[in-house]
């Protein structure tokens, strides 16, 4: 079946075009086009926009705003984003990173969406044509490729504070390195005082649900603790709380649950 392509000049026009049944927003297309090629008949047309407001990276003091059409390769080339470059580099190989966008990654189902886990740990704000949402709320409401449940709004950008040096941590575990599909991913922003005790923690997990999720129990357990084997024991013990890991050809839910504490411990101590 032939697919129609509508190109809009602005993000608002693209949002309106998405009201048509079967319309899907097309960014880099690394997941959407593949799904269609594999037989997804729910998509009957693509909608894209050439709005320049969706591209580029803006840095103002310690706050960064990344357009939804910005690719992972663009992030890797930007000197101000060196702290989170490891998360962008975890998205496929060079060919994928040249196409995969920040906006598209927000909608990637597990086992994809590694960069979104990083954004969740960073406490990002998601900007859409329908308004702004904190990323935890956005992920709870997301639905399908490029839309939110009950709305035709599209993502225009994400913004977050650049983490302090050494506070951002990220690991992607895969069977095929360096660009294999995730067994799991963990992103964390850990802040400590002069004595080395944790004062704040945001931890996000990939593949431990159908979308990235916060590890609230582990975050709470880390507060006031040093990053030593004994100090993190409480957080490691509860890192799997309220998770619902996926089972796919890469790994079973049981395996993901078993190795999560191991890799979380390594991330904190490493």
């Amino acid at each position: 079946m032939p697919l129609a392509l509508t190109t809009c000049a602005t993000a608002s026009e693209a949002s309106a075009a998405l009201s048509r049944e079967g319309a899907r927003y097309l960014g880099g297309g690394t997941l959407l086009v593949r799904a269609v090629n594999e037989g997804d008949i729910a998509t009957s047309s693509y909608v894209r926009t050439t709005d320049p407001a969706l591209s580029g990276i803006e840095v103002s003091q310690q706050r960064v705003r990344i357009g939804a059409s910005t690719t992972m390769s663009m992030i890797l080339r930007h000197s101000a984003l060196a702290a989170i470059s490891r998360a962008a580099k975890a998205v496929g190989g060079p060919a994928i990173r040249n196409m995969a966008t920040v906006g598209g990654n927000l909608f990637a189902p597990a086992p994809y969406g590694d960069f979104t886990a990083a954004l969740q740990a960073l406490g990002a704000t998601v900007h859409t044509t329908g308004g702004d949402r904190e990323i935890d709320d956005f992920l709870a409401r997301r639905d399908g490729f490029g839309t939110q449940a009950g709305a035709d709004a599209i993502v225009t950008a994400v913004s977050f504070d650049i983490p302090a040096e050494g506070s951002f941590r990220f690991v992607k575990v895969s069977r095929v390195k360096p660009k294999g599909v995730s067994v799991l991913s963990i992103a964390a922003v850990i802040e400590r005082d002069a004595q080395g005790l944790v004062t704040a923690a945001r931890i996000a997990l990939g593949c431990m649900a159908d979308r990235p999720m916060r590890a609230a129990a582990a975050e709470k357990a880390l507060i006031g603790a040093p990053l030593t084997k004994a100090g993190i024991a409480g957080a490691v013990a509860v890192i799997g709380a309220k998770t619902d890991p996926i089972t796919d050809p890469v790994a079973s839910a049981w395996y993901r649950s078993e190795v999560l504490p191991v890799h979380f411990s390594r991330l904190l101590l490493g």
Side-chain angles (χ1 to χ4, degrees), residues 115-245:
F115 190 76
T116 298
L119 291 175
Q120 190 171 32
L122 291 163
T125 298
V126 181
H127 306 276
T128 82
T129 52
D132 300 341
R133 294 190 184 279
E134 295 306 307
I135 191 165
D136 292 348
D137 182 46
F138 175 87
L139 289 174
R141 294 168 176 262
R142 80 173 193 189
D143 179 36
F145 289 102
T147 61
Q148 285 185 270
D152 299 319
I154 63 171
V155 175
T156 56
V158 297
S159 63
F160 53 87
D161 291 331
I162 297 175
E165 184 176 357
S167 65
F168 178 76
R169 300 166 185 237
F170 178 85
V171 63
K172 171 184 173 179
V173 181
S174 61
R175 296 184 185 277
V176 179
K177 300 184 182 300
K179 59 181 182 179
V181 175
S182 289
V183 170
L184 59 86
S185 57
I186 311 171
V189 175
I190 309 293
E191 299 176 11
R192 291 184 285 174
D193 62 19
Q195 287 71 46
L197 303 181
V198 175
T199 58
R202 282 185 65 96
I203 303 164
L205 308 176
C207 296
M208 301 309 293
D210 66 338
R211 64 200 71 192
M213 61 169 288
R214 291 277 296 279
E219 292 173 351
K220 184 178 180 180
L222 277 179
I223 302 301
L227 295 187
T228 62
K229 186 174 182 179
I232 68 171
V236 172
V238 297
I239 187 61
K242 296 187 178 181
T243 59
D244 185 18

Side-chain angles (χ1 to χ4, degrees), residues 56-158:
I57 300 169
E58 301 174 5
V59 180
S60 177
Q61 296 181 338
Q62 288 300 108
R63 189 76 179 175
V64 61
R65 182 184 176 101
I66 305 176
S69 296
T70 303
T71 66
M72 297 299 144
S73 292
M74 294 167 67
I75 292 172
L76 287 172
R77 292 195 296 267
H78 201 288
S79 59
L81 300 180
I84 65 168
S85 61
R86 187 171 185 177
K89 196 171 184 179
V91 180
I96 294 295
R97 291 194 293 270
N98 284 337
M99 296 295 293
T101 63
V102 170
N105 199 265
L106 286 167
F107 296 93
Y112 308 105
D114 300 302
F115 190 76
T116 298
L119 291 175
Q120 190 171 32
L122 291 163
T125 298
V126 181
H127 306 276
T128 82
T129 52
D132 300 341
R133 294 190 184 279
E134 295 306 307
I135 191 165
D136 292 348
D137 182 46
F138 175 87
L139 289 174
R141 294 168 176 262
R142 80 173 193 189
D143 179 36
F145 289 102
T147 61
Q148 285 185 270
D152 299 319
I154 63 171
V155 175
T156 56
V158 297

Side-chain angles (χ1 to χ4, degrees), residues 6-20 25 47-54 128-131 152-156:
T6 301
T7 299
C8 303
T10 68
S12 296
E13 292 174 7
S15 292
L18 285 171
S19 63
R20 298 193 300 266
Y25 185 77
V47 176
R48 63 185 292 268
T49 179
T50 55
D51 192 337
L54 271 67
T128 82
T129 52
D152 299 319
I154 63 171
V155 175
T156 56

